[in-house]
Structures are given as C-alpha cells and as structure tokens.
Amino acid sequence: MNNVRKGLWITLIVLLTAALSACGGSGKAQKVRIGEVTRSVFYAPQYVALEKGFFKEEGLDVELQTTAGGDKTMTALLSGAIDVALVGAETSIYVYQQGSTDPVINFAQLTQTDGTFLVARDSAEFDWEMLKGSVFLGQRKGGMPQMAGEFTLRKHGIDPHQDLELIQNVDFANITAAFISGTGQFVQLFEPQASIVEKEGKGYVVASFGTESGRLPYTVFMTKQSYINGHSEIVQKFTNAIHKAQRWVQSHTPEEIAETVAPYFKDTDMEILVSSIKRYQEQGSYAETPALAEDAWNNLLDVMESAGELNERVEANKLVDNSFAEKVVNSVK
C-alpha cells in the first residue's frame, strides 16, 4: 500500500513539474525591459504586440521605456538598465568597432527601410537638382536617417557637404519646429511630423528616403550576446510575439492599425496617425518577418561606408542571429 502511495506521489510531482515548466518555471510572466530609441509610429508593430497581448501570450511581461537617442539607448543596454534595445542596426556595428568583448546581436528586425521623407517648403514640381545651393535641415551625424539621406543625395549626384548648406546642430525633437519657424528650404522628417507639416500648409512631402535608399535593417531588436546565452528561451518568445504583430499589421488596414496604437500617441490626431501608417505601409517599411536579409545588411554597410562611418565591413554572421526569426517563421508555414 505504501508503495502505491509513493508511486502516486511521484506521478503527481512529475505532473506538477511539467506544468510549471510549461508556464515558464514559476508560472509567472518573465520580465523583459525594452528601450526604444524614440516614440514613433514607425514602430507600429511593436505597439501592436503590446496592445494585442502577443507578448503576454508568450508568457512575457514587457516594460517599455523611451531612451531618447541611439547613444543613450546603447548605453542603457550595455549597462544592463534594459534587456533589449530597439534601435538602428548601425549602433551594433559601432559597438563592435570599439572592440567589445560582449557584442550586441541583432535578432529581430522591425523596420526594413529608412523612415524619413524629404519635405520642401515650396510646392513647386520637385527635382533633386533643386537641392543644390539650398539650405537643408538634416539629422544627427552618424545616425541612420542622416546616413540614408546622404546616400540618397549622392545617388542623385549631390554632395551633401559641398553642394548645399547642411544644418545638423538642431536636436531631433526640435527639427520640425525649426523648419516650421523658417529654418531651411528642405528638411528630412519622420512621420507623423511630415504629415503634420503638410496639414499645417508649412511644407510638402516630395520624396521618400525609404524608397530611395533601398532595403535596410533600419530598426532592429538587439541584445548582448551574454543575454542571448543566458536567456535564449526569452529571446525566442520575444521574437514569436514580434512576428505575430508583423503578420497582424500586414493583414490590417491603416485605420485598424492606427486605432490599435493610438494609446501610444495620445497627442496625435487620428487622421494624421492613419496618414502616417498608410505611407509606411505603402512603401513597405514594416518588415514582414523578423529575419535580417544579408543583402539588406550589405546595403547598410554601403550606406555607412558612403557616410565615412565604417572602419571595416562587418559580415552579417558576426552581429546577426536569425535563428530565432527562422524558427518562428518556419513554424507558421
């Protein structure tokens, strides 16, 4: 009889252990701290993953904070203040170039083009030659928006440092206000700022740097190699949730997406929000899968090299881990 009871107890323990394991060990959601480089409608799939509960479905408790600026975001990641950074892939290359012993690894792509638009003060028919001799209000030196912008200008035969007056000393948060107040004849803006300027009649979107500069691993979820080594299960769950959000965004209208992400943009008019998302959808800015394509990575290196920000070309396999993306993509086929 004792042996029977003992057997029942062993069976019960095994079942409880299996149940707890399926729930992530303790049954509690696993905490993940994200630092996003800025709050932007450009990152709509991330907010969809939060609002639709895709992270929760994976057993993750995600805490989102905006760590304004690429340098601050990377500092927060390297210091352990955040677990995952959402920032341009170029930042992982900058860390690698500094000889880091714990490299930052890109594991899930969110956006696959530049997110800025060329806005002109005048509504006259646009030609790239019009930029020669003009005053151009650009972005921060070394950042992807500015590098993609310079790459595009050179493609059109314009030297951004010789053929026009390039202004780069305005803080990111103040660029739109500076243009509206009269600084520059052209400006490089993200959405929804570009749509806001148009609505106010202060400028006109005349070109897309996203379309012009081609596919890039523009904004990527990344973390330290040591974090991946110790938390591969969490990284996989995180990637699963992002892919769910990507599929949701691909199958829904700008209006539906805008309604979902609206809580993250409480000061933005719904019409502007829809317009911004529509522009990004139409030019294919939102990545369809979390995997980083090698040709897009090589295009990133070309853009950085053209801007003089690349010490040496870094092969994708040194700073990209597509295993998590490939696993979730293959599982939904």
Side-chain angles (χ1 to χ4, degrees):
M1 195 67 179
N2 287 336
N3 288 336
V4 173
R5 289 197 189 95
K6 184 178 179 181
L8 289 172
W9 275 110
I10 291 173
T11 301
L12 181 59
I13 290 170
V14 169
L15 289 172
L16 286 171
T17 301
L20 287 172
S21 176
C23 294
S26 65
K28 293 182 179 179
Q30 295 163 299
K31 188 83 170 181
V32 181
R33 300 165 300 169
I34 306 176
E36 59 174 5
V37 65
T38 188
R39 176 60 49 86
S40 174
V41 67
F42 194 40
Y43 310 149
Q46 173 186 240
Y47 311 124
V48 167
L50 287 162
E51 284 300 295
K52 291 296 180 181
F54 296 146
F55 286 120
K56 289 183 179 179
E57 287 177 6
E58 293 292 331
L60 300 180
D61 175 16
V62 169
E63 175 186 289
L64 178 64
Q65 56 184 288
T66 303
T67 44
D71 52 347
K72 292 179 182 177
T73 303
M74 193 51 60
T75 298
L77 181 65
L78 296 176
S79 67
I82 57 175
D83 304 309
V84 173
L86 176 63
V87 65
E90 80 283 357
T91 56
S92 67
I93 296 176
Y94 291 148
V95 172
Y96 180 83
Q97 289 183 157
Q98 293 168 6
S100 173
T101 56
D102 190 5
V104 174
I105 304 299
N106 301 275
F107 67 88
Q109 180 173 244
L110 193 73
T111 63
Q112 59 188 10
T113 73
D114 179 85
T116 60
F117 297 86
L118 179 63
V119 178
R121 193 172 296 284
D122 195 330
S123 63
E125 188 173 342
F126 174 71
D127 185 275
W128 287 96
E129 286 292 313
M130 294 169 62
L131 273 80
K132 290 185 176 180
S134 70
V135 180
F136 186 95
L137 186 52
Q139 299 277 335
R140 177 180 61 84
K141 183 181 184 300
M144 272 309 299
Q146 183 61 35
M147 290 192 292
E150 292 187 13
F151 185 76
T152 297
L153 293 178
R154 288 191 177 95
K155 188 177 80 171
H156 288 281
I158 301 167
D159 186 324
H161 299 282
Q162 298 294 329
D163 295 336
L164 48 78
E165 182 183 342
L166 180 61
I167 299 176
Q168 292 181 278
N169 61 354
V170 179
D171 289 340
F172 177 80
N174 298 324
I175 290 175
T176 305
F179 183 74
I180 289 175
S181 66
T183 302
Q185 295 161 271
F186 294 91
V187 65
Q188 185 177 356
L189 295 177
F190 281 92
E191 287 287 14
Q193 286 75 24
S195 289
I196 290 172
V197 169
E198 277 194 317
K199 186 176 181 180
E200 293 183 0
K202 302 295 185 179
Y204 307 86
V205 172
V206 293
S208 162
F209 287 107
T211 300
E212 292 285 339
S213 57
R215 289 293 174 96
L216 294 163
Y218 199 82
T219 323
V220 183
F221 289 106
M222 59 186 72
T223 189
K224 292 184 289 186
Q225 182 66 65
S226 58
Y227 185 84
I228 291 177
N229 293 343
H231 304 85
S232 60
E233 181 188 359
I234 290 178
V235 176
Q236 185 64 66
K237 290 178 177 179
F238 190 99
T239 308
N240 295 348
I242 292 302
H243 190 42
K244 288 180 184 178
Q246 290 173 328
R247 292 169 63 201
W248 192 94
V249 166
Q250 293 297 323
S251 63
H252 287 76
T253 65
E255 290 78 10
E256 291 168 323
I257 299 168
E259 184 178 349
T260 300
V261 305
Y264 297 88
F265 303 94
K266 293 180 180 177
D267 296 329
T268 303
D269 180 81
M270 183 58 72
E271 180 184 344
I272 293 293
L273 201 54
V274 171
S275 168
S276 303
I277 291 169
K278 184 178 181 181
R279 272 203 173 113
Y280 284 136
Q281 264 196 330
E282 288 179 343
Q283 70 178 31
S285 289
Y286 301 131
E288 293 93 347
T289 82
L292 281 74
E294 188 171 359
D295 59 345
W297 179 267
N298 290 332
N299 190 33
L300 168 66
L301 299 182
D302 291 343
V303 169
M304 294 180 69
E305 203 166 43
S306 175
E309 299 292 345
L310 191 66
N311 295 341
E312 61 175 306
R313 293 184 74 88
V314 184
E315 293 181 6
N317 59 17
K318 291 185 177 180
L319 296 179
V320 175
D321 186 346
N322 274 330
S323 63
F324 303 100
E326 289 169 353
K327 184 174 181 179
V328 63
V329 170
N330 291 334
S331 71
V332 296
K333 284 184 178 179

